[in-house]
Amino acid sequence: MGLFDFFKKKETTPVEQEALDKGLEKTKEGLFSKLTKAVIGKSTVDEEVLDELEEILVTSDVGVSTTLKIIERIEERVSRDKYVNTSELNGILRTEIQDLLAENNSSDFENFEYGSHKPYVIMVVGVNGVGKTTTIGKLAHKLKLTGSKVVLGAADTFRAAAVEQLKLWGERVNVRVVAQPMGSDPASVAFDTLQSAVANGEDVAIIDTAGRLHNKVALMNELTKIKNVMQKVVPGAPHEILLVLDASTGQNAIEQCKQFTQATDVNALALTKLDGTAKGGVVIGISDQFKIPVKYIGVGEGINDLQLFNKKEFVESLFK
């Protein structure tokens, strides 16, 4: 099975489903314990219940603008159906969130077109501490399971720890890592990685980049330089600019998404550490606000705990 088949095939296995359900436990507990309190003693969904619901969604890090859209949709439904009882609220909320996310111009992996790019180049961006290098390692592992040949480029040359961590992941998942001494030009590492990927006939090249640049202009310049150099080797590279965000930082993740989308052409998102937070609602907010596909979610520490994101399955798991 090739990389294309891996992305086309999206049937969640029981093990993956269990990991997703477990990874969303804290978010579910937070959301539903608050929701239950909001409707105690109420028989219908009235203005007071909607106000409570609005506060619950905002404090679950769904984000203000996305929350207002959801509330508006529920209000329309309440006025249309005249009588909506509180026991129906979970089902209505689930449906409205699913419908809202389905309207985004981003599709799940079933429709991911790998095309004929070889090597397929993924440039990974994000601030330090979000799980960037770990995500790269887990992604390399997933791709390798499909029979794809993968190479990693350690272009975060500002931190010795980042290079060492990537090398460790390379050893762990048995993929080649291209690295240079600390302080080397990141664009030079990216160039070397792609040249060797072409020479070795590798299917995917994943380039790690620095997460610590002091302002947006510096970040923009650095990433543009890396992109320009890569295009000299592989025209059209990178095919994917993957922004890694830590879901447990909630609204901070939304702010980081703003910064990075302004600095470079992010066209894919990975949200990590969902298992360690009650702020899983941020996935809904980010998916709605930025209209950039959330492609991967991290639901645990294990090597297999990076999953392809499916909007419908995510919301259904949240409301189980």
Side-chain angles (χ1 to χ4, degrees), residues 27 57-58 60-70 97-98 100-101 104 106 245 247 250-255 257-258 269 271 274 279-294 309 311 314-315 318:
T27 298
L57 291 173
V58 170
S60 298
D61 283 276
V62 171
V64 175
S65 64
T66 304
T67 293
L68 293 177
K69 283 185 202 172
I70 295 166
I97 291 173
Q98 277 179 342
L100 179 69
L101 295 185
N104 290 349
S106 64
L245 299 165
Q251 292 306 295
N252 200 13
I254 290 181
E255 188 51 43
C257 198
K258 271 184 201 155
L269 300 173
L271 276 130
L274 277 165
K279 296 174 185 277
V282 75
V283 177
I284 297 163
I286 282 178
S287 191
D288 171 55
Q289 281 182 52
F290 294 96
K291 308 290 189 272
I292 297 169
V294 175
F309 178 68
K311 295 194 253 313
F314 180 84
V315 179
L318 206 51

Side-chain angles (χ1 to χ4, degrees), residues 41-55:
K42 296 271 186 184
S43 58
T44 60
V45 177
D46 57 14
E47 207 59 47
E48 197 180 335
V49 169
L50 286 172
D51 283 347
E52 290 267 8
L53 179 59
E54 186 177 319
E55 192 180 324

Side-chain angles (χ1 to χ4, degrees), residues 22 76 87 90 95 105-107 112 120 132-133 153 211 217-218 220-221 236 238 245 248 278 280 287 296 301 303 305:
K22 197 168 184 310
E76 278 170 25
S87 62
N90 273 5
T95 305
N105 62 4
S106 64
S107 50
F112 183 85
Y120 184 74
K132 193 157 48 85
T133 313
V217 176
M220 199 180 294
N221 292 343
L245 299 165
S248 70
S287 191
Y296 311 100
E301 295 294 314
I303 196 166
D305 286 335

Side-chain angles (χ1 to χ4, degrees), residues 139-150:
L139 179 56
H141 170 66
K142 289 277 188 188
L143 297 177
K144 203 162 170 286
L145 290 178
T146 72
S148 294
K149 286 173 75 181
V150 184

Side-chain angles (χ1 to χ4, degrees), residues 24-34:
L24 293 178
E25 261 172 17
K26 289 187 179 176
T27 298
K28 281 191 274 197
E29 282 165 17
L31 188 63
F32 293 112
S33 63
K34 290 174 191 169

Side-chain angles (χ1 to χ4, degrees), residues 16 38 66 108 119 121 135 141 144 159 175 178-179 181 188 208 242 256 272 306 314:
E16 286 175 331
T66 304
D108 290 327
V121 181
T135 298
H141 170 66
K144 203 162 170 286
R159 289 189 312 138
V175 300
V178 175
S188 168
D208 190 12
L242 177 68
Q256 284 172 24
T272 64
L306 183 73
F314 180 84

